[in-house]
Amino acid sequence: MKLYFAPGACSLSPHIVMREAGAQYDLEQVNNQEKKTKSGTDYWTINAKGQVPVLEFDNGERLTEGPVIVQWIADQNPASGLVPPAGKLERYRVQEWLNFITSELHKTFGPIFRPTTPDAFKALSKENLGKRFDWLDKQLENLGKRFDWLDKQLAGKDYLMGDKFTIADAYLFTVLRWTSRIDIDLAKWPNLKAYVDRVAARPKVQEALKAEGLIK
Ligand SMILES: N[C@@H](CCC(=O)N[C@@H](CS)C(=O)NCC(=O)O)C(=O)O
């Protein structure tokens, strides 16, 4: 089994889940700009969607889409308690979170830190720049509103589902880490800040961050 990842990208979420579940997969780093794996394989041949994460099975079959991969890993390791069993309402609560994180948070970040964006900004006229900034401002405002709501959800809770860490926390933590790259200071949302620090302190999360070279 092999997990394809790019340091700090959304693949950090299944990477954390893999470690929290006690699963042992190989890791293969992907250069997401060059679309090459560390061992030199053209990444388009691994995932025709050109994105991480990908979980590759020993028979060569591959599973994509982070919110699905984390459920698969957790289901293979039920003793880890990382996801409630299918059929229980709590399972759909976790899926409710995964869907919110992927569609309303994760995908809002992409265009904000796409590497080509600053060059385009430079080349644009002042008027166009203004329009882009209006757009960027709106994105950040929308994110801010969602963070206000999230902050309330986390008040008095250690994790999204209460006192138990689940796959949804691995994903939310991964996405919230990106705020520092776009100058959003989480200190504005005390529950969110405390949550990120709490997840970051988990030994398996520390292991994943170190393995991706994100901390020393
Ligand atoms: N729907 C996919 C999206 C994955 C995704 O956005 N991956 C990003 C990294 S966070 C990526 O590989 N981007 C490179 C690209 O799109 O070229 C999932 O949830 O797994």
Side-chain angles (χ1 to χ4, degrees):
M1 302 275 290
K2 190 192 277 187
L3 179 69
Y4 291 88
F5 79 101
C10 52
S11 45
L12 177 63
S13 162
H15 183 181
I16 289 171
V17 170
M18 171 193 110
R19 289 176 189 270
E20 290 276 354
Q24 296 268 322
Y25 307 147
D26 292 334
L27 290 168
E28 173 122 24
Q29 192 169 329
V30 176
N31 181 324
N32 236 344
Q33 276 72 49
E34 315 258 311
K35 300 292 175 215
K36 280 257 184 278
T37 71
K38 198 142 196 177
S39 59
T41 306
D42 175 0
Y43 192 60
W44 293 110
T45 67
I46 306 292
N47 182 6
K49 293 186 270 191
Q51 293 177 315
V52 290
V54 167
L55 185 63
E56 187 173 84
F57 300 99
D58 291 342
N59 68 2
E61 219 179 304
R62 298 186 184 111
L63 189 64
T64 63
E65 302 301 321
V68 174
I69 295 173
V70 289
Q71 292 184 67
W72 192 90
I73 299 171
D75 281 333
Q76 294 305 303
N77 299 276
S80 66
L82 286 166
V83 73
K88 292 259 185 224
L89 181 61
E90 288 74 27
R91 175 57 169 252
Y92 305 96
R93 291 282 177 224
V94 168
Q95 288 176 333
E96 194 176 15
W97 276 117
L98 291 173
N99 204 68
F100 170 76
I101 298 164
T102 205
S103 58
E104 308 301 335
L105 300 179
H106 177 174
K107 283 295 146 181
T108 309
F109 278 87
I112 297 175
F113 48 57
R114 192 164 287 147
T116 50
T117 304
D119 288 340
F121 273 3
K122 279 181 214 152
L124 282 171
S125 67
K126 209 176 167 190
E127 191 190 336
N128 277 347
L129 258 184
K131 277 185 197 151
R132 289 288 174 99
F133 286 143
D134 285 347
W135 173 82
L136 193 61
D137 195 56
K138 194 94 207 126
Q139 298 296 309
L140 294 177
E141 183 192 311
N142 288 340
L143 262 185
K145 279 186 192 142
R146 283 171 206 148
F147 287 166
D148 285 341
W149 176 81
L150 257 183
D151 198 54
K152 284 198 193 94
Q153 299 300 306
L154 286 167
K157 279 194 213 166
D158 276 357
Y159 300 110
L160 289 173
M161 294 291 291
D163 54 10
K164 209 162 173 35
F165 178 88
T166 68
I167 55 178
D169 297 299
Y171 195 15
L172 182 59
F173 169 76
T174 294
V175 168
L176 289 179
R177 279 191 71 256
W178 299 338
T179 51
S180 60
R181 288 175 53 185
I182 56 169
D183 287 332
I184 292 183
D185 186 0
L186 279 185
K188 198 174 152 209
W189 299 278
N191 294 308
L192 278 185
K193 174 82 177 74
Y195 170 82
V196 167
D197 293 345
R198 188 178 307 122
V199 176
R202 292 177 68 85
K204 295 294 172 188
V205 174
Q206 289 280 308
E207 269 180 24
L209 293 170
K210 275 188 197 132
E212 296 201 8
L214 302 170
I215 56 169
K216 292 246 156 59

